[in-house]
Amino acid sequence: MKKFFLPILGLFMLFSKSSFSQKKPETDKKWWKEAVVYQIYPRSFKDSNGDGIGDLKGIISKLDYLKSLGITAVWINPFYSSPNDDNGYDISDYRGIMKEFGTKEDFDVLLKGLHDRNIKMVMDLVVNHSSDEHDWFKQSRSSRTSPYRDYYHWWPAENGKPPYRYSLFDINHDAWKYDSTTNAYYLHYFSTKQPDLNWENPKLRQEIYDVMKFWAEKGIDGFRLDAFQFASKDTTFPVWPDGYEKDFIKYIAMGPHLHQYLKEMNEQVFSKYNVMSVAEGAGNTMEDAHNLVDADRKELNMAYAFEGVDIAKPNGYSLLHFKNVFTKWDSAFANNGWLSIFLANHDQARMVTRFGNDSPAFRDVSSKMLTTFIMTMRGTPYYYNGDELAMTNIRFDNVEDYKDMPLKNEYVYLQKTGGDLKKFLEEQKISSRDNGRTPFQWNSSVNAGFSMGEPWLKVNPNFANINAAAQEKDANSPLNYFRKVVAFRKNNPVLVYGKYTLLDKANPDVYAYTREMDGKKLLIVLNFSKNDASTKLDLKLGKLLLNNYPSSTSVKSDKIILRPYEARIYEVK
């Protein structure tokens, strides 16, 4: 949800009941380590009633499609009751369902349908902040003596203006909003309609745990805790140095009581239910990461590092940097903790546009190469809906076409401060998260088969050529390649638990590595360039097991020559 403009080094974490007696990863097998997680952005996935907005019944209608992918879990973005200031990340009722998305009965049908197909459900839960239309906040702002007053962070105006805090989404980048009702300011790290919850208050914490128990008892399999890295705050609100916002994660993440809250959450909820949870968090160091996920601390189990996805910039990226980052994280968690692997989500532009090459000549093959990478690294793969089709950025020319609230606020901010609006809009063609939120391209009919009504966000015009129906018929399509690689991973535990070793580190075009376990060794070679590239490896190769081109080429001596964006997986003798 919360990555926007500034690169955020964050972590997602997973944790589950009875998962804290962790041994070395290669011997401590867990279902969530072996899972393939598919993320669904419900607003853009499938509309069932023609209002232009994806909904729960739309997801239900595509359950067999999800099953066909081979994925074993879905993470669904928020569908709770919300006024939609930030597409559902501003929750007004944690136990309700947004009317646009359906009903509680629809939720029950969806959950059962997933479980009937052996697919687990992970719900998105926003607990750093609520909507300002939540009853808690309405009560909190009504009076300084309200029993809900301390559910949020307030600063009395008679004490002067509060110390500056940077807001990610505010139109002025100011996280304090004056409210005349009680002559006080409230804190909102994100938009003014997303007041931060006061986790210092044990009553508030219990409210959150009760909400989590409510959904756990319904049978869901996990939660994603949004923006949780910001939940703990120094409520003395000290003055921070000018310009701190340039490195704001260092100041506002990993607050003084975050570990206490996680331990308490585990004791209150996760130790009592067989659920897995995904939580955004942030760490400034590897020590931070291990303090969050090392098993003996009974906090979190799986780290999902944002450093990798932040590598791609509007002007490109270096493969050497890419290899260094992913190798560093793997090394740091080789014996303790667990990683997730991903290159896209709802807060990112499209994977193939950012990390591959979305030109017609290279789109499909580079998408397959990136899929190969995600599915052959050690850790749990997370895959964003639509990337299996190699969906691309839409690249809007006008700010009016965007729906993303923080983007629009930033545009107004730049207008007011004399910023370069043309440069900003050009950058958004590559980086805006609306690029990743355009409606799913199901077929070549009206609105790509997403809706019979006008979609809430424009459909990418290339849907006539890039759509699921067409790719179902093509054995060499990105969609069918995705299925093939997912099946290959599931049939080769070495890709889940096996040792990772980087090869040919200085090669600027080829990413080569081995995965090894129980006497089995695989070589993965990936060409990240649009030109032929080669690598020389001191290995005795066996059978070519997987290739993203229809036909393979031979290996000459110890030199492997790869075509543009080619991916290969070999047995190693």
Side-chain angles (χ1 to χ4, degrees):
M1 168 188 178
K2 303 307 179 190
K3 179 186 177 296
F4 190 74
F5 304 123
L6 295 175
I8 295 178
L9 171 58
L11 299 173
F12 283 165
M13 285 73 63
L14 299 182
F15 49 102
S16 67
K17 180 179 179 182
S18 69
S19 61
F20 297 107
S21 58
Q22 193 173 23
K23 306 172 186 176
K24 289 187 177 181
E26 61 267 23
T27 60
D28 183 29
K29 296 185 177 182
K30 301 291 182 182
W31 73 262
W32 44 267
K33 293 181 179 181
E34 299 173 16
V36 176
V37 183
Y38 183 83
Q39 182 188 351
I40 294 177
Y41 197 68
R43 195 173 190 83
S44 299
F45 194 63
K46 181 71 172 104
D47 172 26
S48 70
N49 60 6
D51 66 356
I53 297 171
D55 46 43
L56 299 185
K57 284 185 176 179
I59 300 174
I60 292 167
S61 72
K62 296 298 182 180
L63 287 175
D64 288 340
Y65 172 80
L66 297 177
K67 178 67 175 178
S68 78
L69 296 176
I71 55 97
T72 58
V74 295
W75 151 29
I76 306 179
N77 292 99
F79 46 78
Y80 310 92
S81 299
S82 168
N84 260 326
D85 181 58
D86 185 27
N87 282 6
Y89 280 93
D90 48 315
I91 298 173
S92 56
D93 179 0
Y94 285 97
R95 292 176 174 84
I97 303 292
M98 193 187 309
K99 291 181 180 179
E100 292 173 326
F101 286 160
T103 66
K104 292 180 180 179
E105 290 73 24
D106 294 334
F107 168 83
D108 293 338
V109 172
L110 173 58
L111 181 60
K112 184 179 186 302
L114 287 168
H115 286 171
D116 286 348
R117 293 164 177 79
N118 296 316
I119 300 172
K120 299 181 185 295
M121 179 197 282
V122 178
M123 293 179 67
D124 215 325
L125 186 65
V126 187
V127 290
N128 174 70
H129 50 266
S130 75
S131 166
D132 67 345
E133 297 184 33
H134 195 293
D135 188 60
W136 295 343
F137 190 72
K138 291 178 181 178
Q139 296 288 337
S140 182
R141 81 192 311 176
S142 67
S143 168
R144 290 193 181 188
T145 60
S146 167
Y148 290 91
R149 186 67 170 182
D150 290 338
Y151 275 40
Y152 297 87
H153 297 279
W154 291 95
W155 181 278
E158 63 266 24
N159 292 345
K161 194 169 183 179
Y164 174 66
R165 289 296 181 266
Y166 175 76
S167 171
L168 290 167
F169 290 2
D170 184 76
I171 203 164
N172 296 312
H173 293 173
D174 186 351
W176 291 104
K177 170 72 172 178
Y178 177 71
D179 188 69
S180 61
T181 308
T182 58
N183 190 34
Y185 297 84
Y186 68 85
L187 185 70
H188 60 95
Y189 278 170
F190 299 98
S191 85
T192 58
K193 290 185 65 62
Q194 294 170 297
D196 281 43
L197 292 162
N198 181 9
W199 275 77
E200 301 298 307
N201 184 346
K203 291 182 179 179
L204 179 279
R205 297 201 300 273
Q206 193 59 54
E207 294 266 22
I208 297 299
Y209 304 151
D210 288 346
V211 166
M212 298 172 81
K213 291 174 184 177
F214 171 82
W215 291 106
E217 288 173 4
K218 279 186 170 289
I220 64 122
D221 303 287
F223 300 96
R224 172 189 181 266
L225 305 177
D226 179 75
F228 197 73
Q229 69 270 32
F230 303 143
S232 176
K233 298 169 176 70
D234 181 347
T235 54
T236 66
F237 294 109
V239 175
W240 286 336
D242 290 343
Y244 91 89
E245 63 273 12
K246 296 176 182 177
D247 191 18
F248 69 94
I249 290 295
K250 178 181 176 182
Y251 291 86
I252 69 175
M254 301 294 294
H257 302 297
L258 188 67
H259 294 295
Q260 171 195 330
Y261 302 153
L262 289 172
K263 290 177 186 293
E264 184 179 75
M265 185 183 293
N266 176 271
E267 180 182 351
Q268 291 262 345
V269 182
F270 293 102
S271 64
K272 298 178 180 178
Y273 297 91
N274 186 23
V275 291
M276 173 267 279
S277 178
V278 182
E280 269 189 315
N284 294 301
T285 65
M286 287 295 179
E287 182 180 3
D288 281 347
H290 277 288
N291 285 341
L292 288 165
V293 305
D294 282 357
D296 57 357
R297 294 177 60 87
K298 296 188 177 181
E299 294 183 35
L300 308 171
N301 287 120
M302 189 186 300
Y304 185 120
F306 270 96
E307 189 178 5
V309 80
D310 280 336
I311 290 170
K313 304 299 181 185
N315 60 348
Y317 68 98
S318 160
L319 178 63
L320 296 179
H321 182 205
F322 186 96
K323 291 193 284 188
N324 178 63
V325 167
F326 280 96
T327 300
K328 175 182 68 175
W329 279 94
D330 183 272
S331 175
F333 286 82
N335 295 318
N336 292 291
W338 192 253
L339 288 173
S340 296
I341 304 297
F342 81 120
L343 290 177
N345 61 33
H346 64 293
D347 282 333
Q348 311 290 336
R350 281 292 170 187
M351 178 179 77
V352 72
T353 299
R354 298 182 73 227
F355 288 97
N357 186 327
D358 67 5
S359 67
F362 298 117
R363 180 186 62 237
D364 286 3
V365 71
S366 67
S367 175
K368 295 176 187 178
M369 182 274 292
L370 295 169
T371 296
T372 310
F373 167 74
I374 293 171
M375 296 296 166
T376 57
M377 288 290 286
R378 177 164 57 186
T380 301
Y382 281 66
Y383 207 89
Y384 185 61
N385 61 198
D387 283 342
E388 73 272 25
L389 307 180
M391 283 179 60
T392 69
N393 278 14
I394 193 168
R395 294 184 170 91
F396 289 128
D397 289 316
N398 303 310
V399 70
E400 292 78 16
D401 289 325
Y402 290 100
K403 303 297 183 182
D404 193 28
M405 171 265 297
L407 183 151
K408 288 179 171 291
N409 283 353
E410 185 70 6
Y411 187 86
V412 173
Y413 175 79
L414 291 173
Q415 279 183 316
K416 295 193 304 182
T417 58
D420 190 335
L421 297 175
K422 183 178 179 180
K423 178 182 178 183
F424 174 75
L425 287 178
E426 281 301 309
E427 290 175 345
Q428 298 318 302
K429 290 181 179 181
I430 300 298
S431 61
S432 169
R433 58 188 192 172
D434 270 356
N435 286 298
R437 298 178 175 185
T438 56
F440 195 99
Q441 294 164 207
W442 290 106
N443 55 50
S444 60
S445 69
V446 61
N447 297 325
F450 164 71
S451 175
M452 292 304 294
E454 181 180 354
W456 74 277
L457 185 64
K458 288 183 178 180
V459 177
N460 195 315
N462 63 18
F463 74 88
N465 298 315
I466 303 174
N467 64 74
Q471 293 192 23
E472 291 281 4
K473 303 173 185 177
D474 180 1
N476 295 315
S477 69
L479 173 59
N480 282 313
Y481 185 81
F482 175 81
R483 290 168 169 150
K484 184 185 301 184
V485 179
V486 169
F488 185 81
R489 179 183 179 84
K490 290 163 74 174
N491 291 327
N492 287 275
V494 63
L495 293 176
V496 179
Y497 299 105
K499 177 184 177 183
Y500 161 94
T501 303
L502 176 67
L503 306 173
D504 199 5
K505 179 180 179 180
N507 194 316
D509 299 316
V510 176
Y511 195 166
Y513 50 95
T514 57
R515 303 296 311 283
E516 185 175 6
M517 183 180 75
D518 296 338
K520 184 171 185 177
K521 191 172 185 178
L522 300 180
L523 169 68
I524 297 91
V525 285
L526 311 169
N527 181 2
F528 272 70
S529 79
K530 63 180 180 181
N531 303 307
D532 288 350
S534 64
T535 180
K536 296 185 70 174
L537 304 172
D538 186 18
L539 294 171
K540 189 174 182 180
L541 301 183
K543 184 179 178 182
L544 176 63
L545 302 174
L546 201 66
N547 183 250
N548 67 335
Y549 274 77
S551 61
S552 63
T553 57
S554 61
V555 178
K556 298 180 180 179
S557 184
D558 60 345
K559 188 175 184 181
I560 301 174
I561 301 173
L562 299 167
R563 289 163 287 190
Y565 300 106
E566 186 167 11
R568 298 189 201 171
I569 302 176
Y570 287 97
E571 281 184 332
V572 179
K573 295 180 180 178

